[in-house]
Amino acid sequence: MVNKPRIILDMDDVIANLLTSWIEVVNFCENENVQLQDVSSWDIEKYFKCGRKVFDYLNYDLYRNLKPIEGSQDGVRMLQEKYDVYIVTVSTTHKDSLIAKIEWLEEYFPFIKKEKIVLLGDKSIVRGDIIIDDSIKNLERFDGRKILFNSCHNQGNVQFERVNGWSEILDRLL
């Protein structure tokens, strides 16, 4: 049996549309009007009048009701043919996210084996050949090929290979 190269996929804002949903929920609950394009860094609390209260909305219901990123389901299936695909997601900072993320993956990505889902607190321990993540911090600490999934909060970064969506991922990796 030939070992396939290992690819690490972030969940939030690579296969699940977290930021858009989070902004919508906070806007509704706090009567605010922040737009996705307003968020130019991951310090999201600075864009809302409610400040750090934005993190209170990272709860079970938010994570459970995320929509998949366009093309991610078919894209992950296709990557599995050539790569050993792992979903690696930070889940310890918000305890509700642990169960919600597993349930979400079971619903939207039932073809991913449970042993290929890694919920953790620090991605710096993860090893693989390729990582696709929207977080610059996670890419900086990775030893393999680093691919930045485009998001409004990472626009200023030019040090990493960038993809603008799942069609670009597939074009580069298949």
Side-chain angles (χ1 to χ4, degrees), residues 36-144:
L36 183 65
Q37 61 271 19
D38 297 335
V39 180
S40 60
S41 77
W42 195 236
D43 300 323
I44 192 166
E45 70 272 14
K46 75 181 187 181
Y47 302 98
F48 289 92
K49 292 179 209 130
C50 67
R52 294 202 50 81
K53 187 177 179 188
V54 297
F55 297 106
D56 294 345
Y57 294 100
L58 291 173
N59 57 34
Y60 176 88
D61 289 333
L62 177 74
Y63 282 108
R64 191 60 190 89
N65 291 299
L66 298 176
K67 300 294 182 221
I69 297 279
E70 184 180 339
S72 63
Q73 291 162 299
D74 289 338
V76 171
R77 270 193 196 96
M78 293 170 75
L79 288 178
Q80 285 180 318
E81 295 174 17
K82 184 176 176 182
Y83 297 93
D84 189 15
V85 176
Y86 284 80
I87 304 299
V88 178
T89 184
V90 171
S91 303
T92 57
T93 51
H94 306 284
K95 66 180 180 180
D96 291 343
S97 72
L98 286 165
I99 293 170
K101 286 183 175 192
I102 290 172
E103 290 176 357
W104 188 89
L105 286 164
E106 287 173 344
E107 178 178 349
Y108 291 103
F109 292 81
F111 51 88
I112 297 174
K113 295 178 181 175
K114 285 193 178 11
E115 61 267 18
K116 303 289 184 172
I117 298 170
V118 181
L119 294 94
L120 46 58
D122 180 1
K123 289 187 188 176
S124 69
I125 66 167
V126 176
R127 301 290 175 255
D129 299 292
I130 302 169
I131 189 170
I132 302 173
D133 205 308
D134 65 305
S135 171
I136 294 162
K137 174 181 75 172
N138 293 329
L139 296 180
E140 288 173 337
R141 301 183 300 181
F142 189 76
D143 289 332

Side-chain angles (χ1 to χ4, degrees), residues 2-55:
V2 176
N3 286 341
K4 295 179 180 178
R6 180 179 296 166
I7 189 165
I8 308 299
L9 296 176
D10 180 32
M11 182 172 164
D12 300 331
D13 290 319
V14 172
I15 64 170
N17 198 341
L18 173 64
L19 191 56
T20 299
S21 297
W22 191 11
I23 290 170
E24 287 173 2
V25 167
V26 176
N27 279 339
F28 178 79
C29 294
E30 296 294 328
N31 196 29
E32 298 213 29
N33 191 31
V34 173
Q35 302 301 309
L36 183 65
Q37 61 271 19
D38 297 335
V39 180
S40 60
S41 77
W42 195 236
D43 300 323
I44 192 166
E45 70 272 14
K46 75 181 187 181
Y47 302 98
F48 289 92
K49 292 179 209 130
C50 67
R52 294 202 50 81
K53 187 177 179 188
V54 297
F55 297 106

Side-chain angles (χ1 to χ4, degrees), residues 21 128 150 163:
S21 297
N150 190 52
V163 292

